[in-house]
Amino acid sequence: MNIPNLITVLRVLLIPIFILLFYLPYQWSYLASSSVFAFAAATDWLDGYLARRLEQSTPFGAFLDPVADKLMVAVALVLLVQEHGNLWLTLPAAVIIGREIVVSALREWMAELGARAHVAVSNLGKWKTAAQMLALVILLANPSDFTFWVLFGYALLLISAGLTLWSMVQYLRAAWPHLKTDVEKK
């Protein structure tokens, strides 16, 4: 267990605290839950940076880091869908969570074929993540009223969902030769 892995574990342990803060019946709970989410998002960057810088990458960290990120994002999206209860948040949330399921399954399947490198992470994913994290921080920090900030958060989340779909298409295109059946080859 090294520092980057401990930071990743911390991110997972922050999820129940994040949920608790979100549901507290106080006005400050919006900012508190958003702050915990923002801190967790920053630790996602930090643990990766430290693992590379300190040359402490481990199989455990490589496994847990994306899982922790996806758990935090999925929990945030589910909480926000419940809170906002509208199409502007529900549709991009479904796209984002659905894409994560599809791409995770695709990566696992490609790894079984020994073709994992064909579906590696791209720069498009970094832009998607940045828009998504900023949208979630903004939306978590504000009540569900249609204010400028909430509408801005919706816009960023829609952009993130669009980038999410595009990156999924890129993954599927890279994997397509491996997805064809043997029947076509005959």
Side-chain angles (χ1 to χ4, degrees), residues 41-151:
T43 65
D44 183 29
W45 172 84
L46 180 63
D47 63 18
Y49 172 78
L50 289 175
R52 288 184 299 277
R53 174 89 178 177
L54 302 174
E55 296 181 7
Q56 293 184 343
S57 295
T58 64
F60 176 73
F63 160 74
L64 189 60
D65 181 62
V67 170
D69 179 41
K70 287 168 183 35
L71 281 173
M72 193 66 148
V73 168
V75 167
L77 287 168
V78 168
L79 293 174
L80 286 167
V81 163
Q82 182 261 326
E83 175 83 8
H84 289 244
N86 63 49
L87 181 67
W88 303 108
L89 201 123
T90 304
L91 183 60
V95 166
I96 291 166
I97 292 171
R99 180 263 188 199
E100 293 304 332
I101 293 168
V102 169
V103 170
S104 293
L106 182 63
R107 284 180 180 156
E108 182 180 333
W109 183 74
M110 294 294 287
E112 286 180 20
L113 296 179
R116 175 75 165 87
H118 293 285
V119 288
V121 177
S122 70
N123 275 340
L124 182 61
K126 294 180 191 299
W127 286 102
K128 171 203 65 101
T129 300
Q132 179 178 278
M133 294 303 184
L134 183 56
L136 293 174
V137 167
I138 290 169
L139 290 168
L140 288 165
N142 292 280
S144 61
D145 305 327
F146 283 103
T147 63
F148 167 79
W149 287 110
V150 169
L151 294 175

Side-chain angles (χ1 to χ4, degrees), residues 13 37 42 66 112 125 132 143 158 164 182 185:
L13 295 175
F37 183 86
E112 286 180 20
Q132 179 178 278
L158 286 167
T164 294
D182 289 334
K185 293 179 183 177

